[in-house]
Amino acid sequence: MAAEQPPSSSSVYATNHTPAVLRTHQWRTASNSAPHLLPHLRPNMTILDVGCGPGTITVDLARNYVPDGSVTGIECVSDPLIAAREHAASQGVKNVEFLVGDVLDLHRFKDGSFDVVHAHQVLQHVSDPVQALREMRRVAKSPGGIISLRESASMTWHPRFPGLDKWYSIYQRVAKARGGNPDPGSHLLRVWVQEAGFDRSKMTSSTGTWCFRTEEERAWWSGVWMERVVSEAFVRGALEAGVCKGKEELEEVREAWREWGMCEGGWFVVEHGEVVCWT
Ligand SMILES: C[S@@+](CC[C@H](N)C(=O)[O-])C[C@H]1O[C@@H](n2cnc3c(N)ncnc32)[C@H](O)[C@@H]1O
């Protein structure tokens, strides 16, 4: 893989797009990651998916939910778009395109360009989420356009290995040190929406979860995290944030992930806050 371009100044994404990170994102589908949006879609709609990553949600939306419409995925860096374009081509999906762009400045799109503007786990990685929401609203049709948001709210697991408590603390502190807001779906997301001036009478909110509990799910989730916690980006982020003393500490965290993955009866839950707003 070519060296990743530096992210735009507005991105405070605490990781990069290494294979293990991409694998975490490539598991995602419209039904497991955008269930709050699906009932509002019509086959001929146009969708903008901001911060689309490797695009599996984007392609699923295009193929299965708006087959007579189209989906545009944008990303602040080009690297994940290689995988996104390959995925679309491998699925034979033609009504999707991927572009480099920054959610804080969607100048390439005119006002009112899309029926739906969607972001999944993106606002937590942006330096100014309220400005991002204003831009998302600007490019949505008005009236009647939809802004669809989903951000992680909390993570919990069993058994409660101390090594995984340490992982969560490091993960959150690194994100905050970079200027991000880990797990804003619990509360902040709705504050941001209000600050961006959305009409409370024209929005719904809900929660949605991922739960990894079968042997196969545990093996996959622990496997990607065993790789991610000792990846160069994660180690560098933890050292720069001053939240670990060296890679050895993260190797201990990796062992906790291994132990959890093998634990019969173990489970891991990611809870999300979801908001749908109409213009
Ligand atoms: C956690 S990933 C989510 C990817 C995808 N939405 C998904 O759920 O599979 C967050 C993505 O947001 C992108 N991102 C961060 N800041 C951004 C910005 N200012 N504009 C556009 N994309 C951004 C990152 O590069 C990263 O790919």
Side-chain angles (χ1 to χ4, degrees):
M1 185 190 281
E4 183 150 336
Q5 298 163 356
S8 68
S9 57
S10 72
S11 173
V12 292
Y13 196 34
T15 182
N16 57 9
H17 296 91
T18 54
V21 174
L22 289 184
R23 285 210 309 286
T24 328
H25 298 165
Q26 284 164 327
W27 164 82
R28 300 176 188 177
T29 63
S31 62
N32 72 26
S33 299
H36 57 295
L37 169 64
L38 303 185
H40 308 297
L41 296 178
R42 301 289 169 265
N44 62 352
M45 281 180 159
T46 53
I47 303 178
L48 177 67
D49 185 12
V50 304
C52 62
T56 50
I57 300 171
T58 328
V59 171
D60 192 7
L61 288 170
R63 182 173 59 178
N64 296 314
Y65 297 91
V66 296
D68 305 325
S70 62
V71 186
T72 303
I74 64 154
E75 250 300 326
C76 60
V77 286
S78 61
D79 274 24
L81 299 186
I82 299 169
R85 292 188 184 111
E86 282 173 5
H87 178 59
S90 74
Q91 301 294 306
V93 177
K94 303 251 192 294
N95 60 335
V96 65
E97 66 172 343
F98 293 100
L99 306 168
V100 174
D102 187 334
V103 65
L104 286 192
D105 180 7
L106 298 171
H107 64 271
R108 68 161 78 224
F109 304 115
K110 291 188 192 139
D111 295 5
S113 298
F114 299 94
D115 294 303
V116 177
V117 185
H118 171 70
H120 182 255
Q121 289 194 3
V122 176
L123 296 182
Q124 60 190 280
H125 302 297
V126 170
S127 58
D128 187 347
V130 174
Q131 169 60 14
L133 284 166
R134 290 194 186 110
E135 270 296 83
M136 291 173 72
R137 183 177 52 195
R138 181 185 67 74
V139 300
K141 285 183 183 161
S142 183
I146 293 172
I147 288 80
S148 155
L149 310 164
R150 193 178 197 244
E151 295 289 329
S152 58
S154 68
M155 302 191 205
T156 187
W157 56 88
H158 172 82
R160 201 82 209 184
F161 292 125
L164 292 196
D165 287 337
K166 187 170 190 171
W167 160 78
Y168 198 29
S169 165
I170 291 174
Y171 169 87
Q172 292 185 311
R173 287 154 71 202
V174 169
K176 281 183 195 156
R178 289 183 62 93
N181 291 279
D183 300 336
S186 57
H187 162 67
L188 269 179
L189 180 59
R190 280 171 297 145
V191 172
W192 293 336
V193 164
Q194 241 180 306
E195 283 179 13
F198 284 89
D199 180 346
R200 281 182 75 92
S201 70
K202 291 198 277 184
M203 68 178 77
T204 62
S205 52
S206 52
T207 58
T209 52
W210 293 337
C211 181
F212 306 108
R213 60 177 178 274
T214 66
E215 192 176 346
E216 195 187 4
E217 289 163 349
R218 280 198 316 274
W220 174 74
W221 188 242
S222 67
V224 284
W225 277 107
M226 281 170 64
E227 213 171 310
R228 284 180 68 165
V229 290
V230 291
S231 69
E232 200 207 322
F234 198 91
V235 174
R236 193 179 53 241
L239 291 174
E240 280 172 10
V243 298
C244 92
K245 294 191 192 74
K247 193 170 175 187
E248 307 70 46
E249 232 177 302
L250 294 170
E251 279 161 0
E252 284 168 31
V253 170
R254 179 181 59 183
E255 288 316 299
W257 271 114
R258 184 195 305 282
E259 211 181 335
W260 175 83
M262 292 188 309
C263 207
E264 212 180 313
W267 72 347
F268 194 105
V269 175
V270 182
E271 187 196 3
H272 295 87
E274 303 160 336
V275 175
V276 178
C277 311
W278 281 265
T279 57

